[in-house]
């Protein structure tokens, strides 16, 4: 989080959408014409980008099956696509995106944390969505008994909370959540 990583993805937004749809179809072992790709192309032709963003965010769980060498790149492409969504839809898209990274069990914890970090760093420093992503990072670390990974970042938390512009209630929730996770980790 304090280290800055940028998500670099080439191509127009529509080309990125097509590339991502093809990748998902490959993960699903679909053959040509791949139903997933046809569905996305139909939505794209009808300019139903909001539906595409929602579907991609919901289907982000499929990316967990990506081979290790493609894992981060596949998620980075999805981050770039979702960042094209209208700002009012981003909170729900981010929630759908991070859910499998936190909740789905698999052996790719550090790769998942890297993706969460990439998402965090791709958001504006003043984005309140950073709050949600930071919570996801904490939750994922706690679930995998790696809470010590976030300890160096805690020195920045007070400043981040101000930058994010979250209210007092969310700030309390953050500190309570963090304290519970740290206590639980210490008890293990």
């Amino acid at each position: 989080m304090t280290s800055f990583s940028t998500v670099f993805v080439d191509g127009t937004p529509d080309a990125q959408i097509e590339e991502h749809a093809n990748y998902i179809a490959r993960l699903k072992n679909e053959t040509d014409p791949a139903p997933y790709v046809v569905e996305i192309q139909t939505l794209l032709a009808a300019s139903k980008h909001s539906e595409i963003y929602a579907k991609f965010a919901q289907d982000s769980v499929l990316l967990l099956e990506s081979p290790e060498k493609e894992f981060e790149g596949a998620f980075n492409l999805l981050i770039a696509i979702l960042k094209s969504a209208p700002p009012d839809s981003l909170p729900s898209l981010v929630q759908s995106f991070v859910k499998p990274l936190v909740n789905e069990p698999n052996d790719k914890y550090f790769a998942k944390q890297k993706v969460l970090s990439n998402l965090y760093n791709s958001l504006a420093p003043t984005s309140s969505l950073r709050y949600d992503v930071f919570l996801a990072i904490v939750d994922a670390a706690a679930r995998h008994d790696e809470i010590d990974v976030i300890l160096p970042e805690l020195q920045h938390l007070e400043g981040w909370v101000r930058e994010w512009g979250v209210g007092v209630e969310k700030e309390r929730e953050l500190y309570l959540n963090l304290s519970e996770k740290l206590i639980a980790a210490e008890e293990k």
Side-chain angles (χ1 to χ4, degrees):
M1 287 166 296
T2 52
S3 64
F4 191 82
S5 63
T6 305
V7 175
F8 292 106
V9 180
D10 289 336
T12 66
D14 287 356
Q16 292 172 356
I17 287 170
E18 294 237 14
E19 180 181 345
H20 186 71
N22 280 302
Y23 188 76
I24 293 291
R26 268 197 344 265
L27 288 176
K28 293 174 83 173
N29 293 318
E30 293 182 349
T31 56
D32 286 335
Y36 194 88
V37 173
V38 170
E39 179 184 3
I40 297 302
Q41 287 173 333
T42 302
L43 291 171
L44 201 53
S47 295
K48 294 186 176 182
H49 288 83
S50 293
E51 290 180 38
I52 294 170
Y53 300 137
K55 181 156 187 58
F56 280 176
Q58 181 181 12
D59 292 344
S60 65
V61 67
L62 299 170
L63 296 179
L64 294 174
E65 300 305 317
S66 298
E68 190 172 332
K69 66 182 179 183
E70 298 172 4
F71 192 87
E72 186 178 352
F75 275 101
N76 284 347
L77 177 57
L78 182 54
I79 290 169
I81 291 167
L82 295 180
K83 287 195 64 189
S84 300
D88 62 330
S89 66
L90 277 177
S92 65
L93 295 173
V94 166
Q95 288 299 325
S96 292
F97 178 89
V98 301
K99 193 174 195 177
L101 290 165
V102 174
N103 296 327
E104 292 295 320
N106 75 15
D107 59 349
K108 298 177 181 173
Y109 164 72
F110 289 104
K112 292 192 302 187
Q113 280 292 58
K114 179 73 171 147
V115 169
L116 288 168
S117 180
N118 289 347
L119 175 60
Y120 180 90
N121 286 316
S122 74
L123 298 167
T126 57
S127 172
S128 62
L129 291 174
R130 277 188 162 199
Y131 168 89
D132 297 314
V133 178
F134 183 77
L135 276 179
I137 290 169
V138 170
D139 289 347
R143 280 183 184 268
H144 291 86
D145 295 325
E146 295 286 346
I147 201 77
D148 57 314
V149 169
I150 64 155
L151 293 178
E153 306 302 330
L154 298 182
Q155 66 182 333
H156 307 287
L157 198 53
E158 188 177 328
W160 288 345
V161 168
R162 278 194 307 273
E163 284 181 340
W164 301 334
V166 296
V168 173
E169 188 65 32
K170 279 195 163 192
E171 184 176 355
R172 283 186 187 134
E173 287 175 24
L174 172 65
Y175 285 116
L176 180 61
N177 180 307
L178 194 52
S179 130
E180 289 170 355
K181 299 286 191 295
L182 291 169
I183 289 169
E186 196 171 290
E187 291 174 355
K188 291 183 180 179

